[in-house]
Amino acid sequence: QVQLVESGGGLVQPGGSLRLSCAASGSIFRINAMGWYRQAPGKQRELVAIIPTGGSTNYADSVKGRFTISRDNAKNTVYLQMNSLKPEDTAVYYCNAVVITTTFREYNYWGQGTQVTVSS
């Protein structure tokens, strides 16, 4: 069993910054890709950013140049630095990880979600 625990959401004014963190723990052999998704009210969940192991990062067009994804493999943690936030960034942000467990099977895990609200 693997758990993803997110932190760092909250209320911020337009133009402000937030940093999200997501720590994975449990029966982890290796983590492949880690990423962030978001879901606004009435909309489908969408990819925000993804960072594969040893690969290049990928961002949604709407956040390029404003958001930065990074990971600390030693801590099994992924981060999302969000700058120049806009009201349209308001959503629940979910962490995702593709994990090879200690039984050598691959699973896709999700965090519980953290609310980000951008409003004046």
Side-chain angles (χ1 to χ4, degrees), residues 95-116:
C95 173
N96 175 266
V98 179
V99 177
I100 307 295
T101 66
T102 52
T103 58
F104 304 107
R105 302 185 72 172
E106 183 177 275
Y107 294 96
N108 194 28
Y109 290 97
W110 293 91
Q112 79 283 1
T114 185
Q115 177 70 45
V116 171

Side-chain angles (χ1 to χ4, degrees), residues 6-25:
E6 300 148 344
S7 61
L11 173 65
V12 64
Q13 291 186 342
S17 299
L18 282 175
R19 188 190 194 213
L20 305 183
S21 299
C22 172
S25 62

Side-chain angles (χ1 to χ4, degrees), residues 16-93:
S17 299
L18 282 175
R19 188 190 194 213
L20 305 183
S21 299
C22 172
S25 62
S27 304
I28 298 169
F29 174 72
R30 184 179 72 239
I31 299 178
N32 290 336
M34 299 188 81
W36 291 93
Y37 291 71
R38 67 186 181 186
Q39 187 166 18
K43 295 187 177 181
Q44 290 188 331
R45 190 173 297 189
E46 63 175 1
L47 173 69
V48 177
I50 190 167
I51 182 167
T53 299
S56 59
T57 56
N58 190 34
Y59 295 91
D61 288 342
S62 59
V63 307
K64 283 180 181 177
R66 300 187 298 121
F67 290 10
T68 302
I69 189 170
S70 61
R71 61 190 282 184
D72 184 334
N73 292 326
K75 296 181 179 179
N76 289 332
T77 299
V78 64
Y79 306 95
L80 185 69
Q81 178 65 43
M82 304 184 294
N83 299 328
S84 302
L85 282 159
K86 303 175 181 180
E88 51 263 43
D89 295 318
T90 296
V92 178
Y93 284 69

